[in-house]
Amino acid sequence: MTYRRLLDSVLADELSFMVARARTATSAPANRQLRRLGLRVRSYSVLALACSGLEPSQREIADFLLLDPSQVVSIIDDLEARSLIERSPSPGDRRIKVLRATDQGHDLFREAQEITSEVEARLVSRLSEEERRTLASLMRRVSYQD
Amino acid sequence: MTYRRLLDSVLADELSFMVARARTATSAPANRQLRRLGLRVRSYSVLALACSGLEPSQREIADFLLLDPSQVVSIIDDLEARSLIERSPSPGDRRIKVLRATDQGHDLFREAQEITSEVEARLVSRLSEEERRTLASLMRRVSYQD
DNA sequence: TATTGTTATACTCTATAACTATA
DNA sequence: TATAGTTATAGAGTATAACAATA
């Protein structure tokens, strides 16, 4: 690991850089592993929300995942074509389409969760239980402040 | 912020998701702001390392930024064409090219730093000074564990 | 043989704009 | 007039493979 001397740079102390690096270090292996389920990190996230029981709209998903609504469309098109989720117009407002996972979707999500939880475990492997809780709590406030 | 109810999903508690969301929430505005300097987050990071005085090789930069060496080539091609950095073969090992910023590069980097530090300030705006130090310390261990 | 940097290519992600249907 | 979803497109980011020069 010859690059370790670059930890002395000012860049290495920028929190936004550390966040970006941690994200790449997790998304890359997650995408590689999820591939055998025909998923990627983004479609996994949409599937997770469809499995939540909260019946999110596409707009809510876009806002929550910080994706453009048009990106959500194509991800959902794919998941729906594979019978993993269903979109049905909301009774109250017919512009809104509500998302629910099918039984197959729930099954696949459980498999996917094993993969992502392994990746996540590796991410925090150097931290104690208490440190993990502290980090999660601080990151919650940083990530969902808006 | 109607999406806030999605915070009750299991996805919202995954650290890797929070990290990914925080990264998008910072890289998007950073890229938008850096644009007027002809930079993006990635080229800013390379410039930062060239400005560090550590004279990194392209391989070290690739490893540190988790980029493919070929990606580093094109970023550096651009920065060098704009006379912001110089690459010179290492005396000891002529395969290696070492990076240094020019005076112009240092000037531009200082301007860019103002932008990124504003974005970073917004990222941690909800945290106290002590909480920021705690988060930075934990993220350092998470992001540079390999 | 192994490593550094390079060229090339295909695919995914991101950013915008314009459109439709409903409200 | 505003919002939810959709289509389309261009540009940036990511993943691989193959290669020349040097060690």
Side-chain angles (χ1 to χ4, degrees):
Chain A
M1 312 297 176
T2 170
Y3 78 80
R4 292 219 136 254
R5 66 194 195 85
L6 298 186
L7 290 173
D8 289 336
S9 64
V10 287
L11 182 69
D13 279 320
E14 288 184 19
L15 182 63
S16 357
F17 176 71
M18 292 190 263
V19 166
R21 195 177 199 279
R23 176 257 175 187
T24 304
T26 47
S27 68
N31 278 327
R32 229 178 294 125
Q33 295 287 324
L34 286 171
R35 192 171 190 167
R36 61 179 168 83
L37 302 184
L39 291 175
R40 299 187 57 80
V41 168
R42 287 157 57 129
S43 46
Y44 163 81
S45 303
V46 171
L47 181 58
L49 294 175
C51 286
S52 68
L54 297 169
E55 305 196 348
S57 72
Q58 296 188 195
R59 172 67 52 164
E60 287 174 312
I61 287 178
D63 290 345
F64 191 55
L65 303 187
L66 297 180
L67 297 175
D68 189 86
S70 64
Q71 299 169 351
V72 176
V73 169
S74 60
I75 296 170
I76 292 179
D77 279 350
D78 172 62
L79 294 177
E80 192 176 40
R82 294 160 61 196
S83 302
L84 298 170
I85 65 174
E86 288 173 345
R87 50 184 150 194
S88 39
S90 175
D93 185 337
R94 285 181 326 200
R95 291 175 302 183
I96 296 175
K97 297 189 182 169
V98 150
L99 258 64
R100 271 181 290 266
T102 63
D103 290 347
Q104 287 176 58
H106 279 97
D107 290 346
L108 190 70
F109 178 57
R110 266 185 292 275
E111 286 190 70
Q113 267 189 310
E114 291 178 30
I115 292 172
T116 56
S117 63
E118 272 176 39
V119 172
E120 178 129 346
R122 213 168 312 136
L123 180 68
V124 296
S125 59
R126 296 290 181 76
L127 305 184
S128 71
E129 272 306 319
E130 191 187 350
E131 286 168 335
R132 294 176 197 198
R133 279 192 298 273
T134 304
L135 178 58
S137 152
L138 290 170
M139 279 304 292
R140 245 188 109 91
R141 291 166 58 200
V142 161
S143 305
Y144 303 128
Q145 63 178 293
D146 54 307
Chain B
M1 312 299 177
T2 169
Y3 78 81
R4 292 220 137 250
R5 67 193 193 85
L6 298 186
L7 290 174
D8 289 335
S9 63
V10 287
L11 182 69
D13 278 320
E14 288 183 19
L15 183 63
S16 358
F17 176 71
M18 293 192 262
V19 166
R21 195 178 199 278
R23 176 260 176 184
T24 303
T26 48
S27 68
N31 278 327
R32 227 179 294 126
Q33 295 287 323
L34 286 171
R35 191 170 190 168
R36 61 179 169 80
L37 302 184
L39 291 174
R40 299 186 58 80
V41 168
R42 287 157 55 132
S43 46
Y44 163 81
S45 303
V46 170
L47 181 59
L49 294 175
C51 285
S52 68
L54 297 168
E55 305 195 349
S57 72
Q58 297 188 193
R59 171 68 50 164
E60 288 174 313
I61 287 178
D63 291 345
F64 191 55
L65 303 187
L66 298 180
L67 297 175
D68 189 88
S70 64
Q71 299 169 349
V72 176
V73 170
S74 60
I75 296 170
I76 291 178
D77 280 349
D78 171 64
L79 294 176
E80 192 176 41
R82 295 160 61 195
S83 301
L84 299 170
I85 65 175
E86 288 172 346
R87 49 182 150 194
S88 37
S90 176
D93 184 339
R94 283 182 326 200
R95 291 174 302 181
I96 296 175
K97 297 189 183 170
V98 149
L99 258 63
R100 270 181 292 264
T102 63
D103 290 347
Q104 289 177 59
H106 279 97
D107 291 346
L108 190 70
F109 177 58
R110 267 185 291 275
E111 287 189 71
Q113 268 189 311
E114 292 179 29
I115 292 172
T116 55
S117 63
E118 274 177 38
V119 172
E120 178 130 346
R122 214 168 311 135
L123 181 68
V124 295
S125 59
R126 296 288 182 74
L127 304 185
S128 71
E129 271 307 320
E130 191 188 348
E131 287 167 336
R132 293 176 199 197
R133 279 191 298 273
T134 304
L135 178 57
S137 154
L138 290 170
M139 279 304 294
R140 245 187 108 92
R141 290 167 57 199
V142 160
S143 305
Y144 303 128
Q145 63 180 295
D146 55 308

